[in-house]
Amino acid sequence: MNAKTDTDGLGARSGPLQGVIVLDITRVVAGPFCSMLFADLGATVIKVEHPGDPDYARTFPPFVGAGDDQFSAFFTQFNRNKRGITLNLKSGDGKALLKKLVARADILVENFRPGTMDKLGLSYDTLREINPKLVYTAISGFGRTGPNSSRPAYDNTGQAVGGLWSMNGYPDLPPVRVGTIIGDLAASLYAAIGTLAALREAERSGKGQVVDVSQQDSVLTLTENAVVRYTVEKDVATPLGNDHPFVRPYGQFPCKDGYVFFGGYTDKFWAITCALFGEPEMARAPGIDTMEKRFDPVVAETKVKPLLERWFSKYTKAELEEMAGDQVPLSAIKTIPEVVEDPHIAARNMIVNVPVAGKLIGMFGLPIKLSATDQSTFEKAPMPGEHNAEVLASLIGVTQDELERLKASGAI
């Protein structure tokens, strides 16, 4: 952290990253989620938006409130705990203000298409002349190098070109995208890890660097064994539905009121399961008495699956979880309401109340649990430019008169 940084006047939060200043020039999710993690961990994150074209995730549902007081809970979930300013980076004054802020910052995160910041005259090479310790994190669809670096990208782009889409779905049907924006989320998580590593290096050596994270690269690492299956055996991963490529039984099974995941494929777990359901002799039944036999796709489909479905059909998800306890890997496949209301989730503080339009709205909490850090309070997401005066005065000494001039010129 810069020795000269003082965030007391910026509503600084407590946490391990307290005092670290992050300039967040990102929008939607791939970027805002990364900087949200920093804010949750105590960093002073300054969300920078264009005064005439703020982050369009502000228009994403669900909304809380009505009329002029309406606010996006989606936007809040990824921008809580941040300060908000507006800068027109195409104006001379806007560029100058950003450069002054860079001099006080530790980290800058952007998710423009590669080359955009260069065209604005705000490239890493330019900014590091102002602050050699700056960690410059760039999240994009294809990364800053390579023949496809200039292509536009969304989350679905990452899922498509990273290989994950081709693997997801059911056999003999077209592949299906993963049902969440996993390309955006994975890129944000890798960006957070890389940024903190670069920050540690900057603190040690005094030299910042670029953290270059691509959605395609990030999604590729989520394909489990698909790459080595291909490079070793030329075996191409294809959709398997709820099945595992080689471990069985390991997947989704119906029960009285829905579905459960069951993964008792080892001989130990299989024997325990047979005993739990009153048929211990099935652990020794010819054809399914060893793990290797149960791995056979035909055996799994014709002998093991019918047995499990017969057992599970008599019980609800909750009853099956209770029976399995800590003996075998069996979990209810829960709906979102069931997850939100899960006592274990509550015990982990994973649904937190965040102010949105004057109301406290539940949203996911921080999954990183630090034993010496309190993570019980969360602040609302900022309005566009809400903290212009506070941030610009505290960090770079902008006066009220200058603030009015900058606003009138469209720079903020």
Side-chain angles (χ1 to χ4, degrees), residues 15-345:
L17 296 182
Q18 183 176 8
V20 173
I21 293 183
V22 180
L23 297 177
D24 173 12
I25 315 178
T26 66
R27 53 173 58 195
V28 193
V29 175
F33 183 39
C34 170
S35 57
M36 182 219 79
L37 296 172
F38 300 150
D40 281 3
L41 291 168
T44 296
V45 177
I46 301 167
K47 183 172 181 67
V48 181
E49 298 176 85
H50 189 287
D53 182 25
D55 188 341
Y56 58 84
R58 292 181 178 276
T59 68
F60 291 0
F63 299 102
V64 181
D68 292 341
D69 295 327
Q70 188 181 73
F71 205 88
S72 168
F74 180 101
F75 178 85
T76 298
Q77 185 167 248
F78 296 104
N79 291 281
R80 64 199 187 201
N81 299 329
K82 300 178 184 179
R83 310 290 98 180
I85 69 169
T86 49
L87 290 179
N88 181 353
L89 298 181
K90 293 183 178 180
S91 75
D93 284 338
K95 299 179 201 290
L97 288 169
L98 183 72
K99 290 177 179 179
K100 290 179 180 179
L101 290 169
V102 162
R104 303 297 308 274
D106 302 285
I107 297 164
L108 182 145
V109 186
E110 56 101 336
N111 64 349
F112 293 120
R113 203 185 306 188
T116 300
M117 289 289 277
D118 301 62
K119 292 176 182 176
L120 291 170
L122 299 169
S123 68
Y124 169 67
D125 288 340
T126 297
L127 299 182
R128 71 174 175 178
E129 292 295 320
I130 300 166
N131 181 357
K133 291 182 66 176
L134 181 70
V135 174
Y136 182 107
T137 299
I139 302 171
S140 60
F142 295 90
R144 290 164 63 87
T145 59
N148 297 333
S149 61
S150 63
R151 291 184 178 181
Y154 288 107
D155 167 78
N156 277 7
T157 309
Q159 292 198 36
V161 298
L164 192 59
W165 198 326
S166 73
M167 299 169 55
N168 198 52
Y170 287 89
D172 303 320
L173 289 173
V176 179
R177 70 176 288 274
V178 175
T180 187
I181 49 174
I182 198 165
D184 287 347
L185 300 174
S188 288
L189 292 172
Y190 282 126
I193 296 168
T195 300
L196 293 178
L199 181 64
R200 177 67 183 91
E201 171 63 18
E203 292 171 339
R204 185 189 67 81
S205 69
K207 296 181 180 179
Q209 59 187 297
V210 174
V211 179
D212 176 11
V213 176
S214 132
Q215 288 173 306
Q216 181 181 33
D217 297 348
S218 301
V219 169
L220 177 61
T221 69
L222 304 181
T223 57
E224 196 198 0
N225 67 346
V227 171
V228 291
R229 281 171 59 193
Y230 177 73
T231 58
V232 173
E233 300 175 342
K234 301 303 178 186
D235 182 16
V236 178
T238 56
L240 294 171
N242 294 307
D243 295 328
H244 191 277
F246 55 84
V247 173
R248 303 175 188 90
Y250 189 93
Q252 173 181 286
F253 296 90
C255 64
K256 200 171 185 179
D257 65 343
Y259 298 89
V260 295
F261 159 71
F262 175 71
Y265 62 87
T266 67
D267 288 338
K268 173 185 175 182
F269 284 145
W270 181 247
I272 293 172
T273 302
C274 293
L276 279 175
F277 289 93
E279 298 185 43
E281 68 278 7
M282 295 308 297
R284 301 180 298 277
I288 59 173
D289 56 330
T290 68
M291 186 167 66
E292 288 73 18
K293 292 177 183 177
R294 293 189 297 275
F295 281 5
D296 181 88
V298 175
V299 171
E301 185 67 24
T302 62
K303 294 185 178 181
V304 177
K305 184 178 178 181
L307 184 60
L308 290 170
E309 290 180 346
R310 175 165 62 83
W311 287 341
F312 294 168
S313 66
K314 301 174 183 178
Y315 302 96
T316 66
K317 293 185 290 186
E319 289 169 340
L320 287 170
E321 281 194 316
E322 183 67 24
M323 291 173 66
D326 58 3
Q327 299 183 78
V328 293
L330 185 152
S331 301
I333 296 178
K334 297 186 175 184
T335 63
I336 293 299
E338 289 172 325
V339 175
V340 170
E341 296 160 11
D342 187 337
H344 185 79
I345 288 290

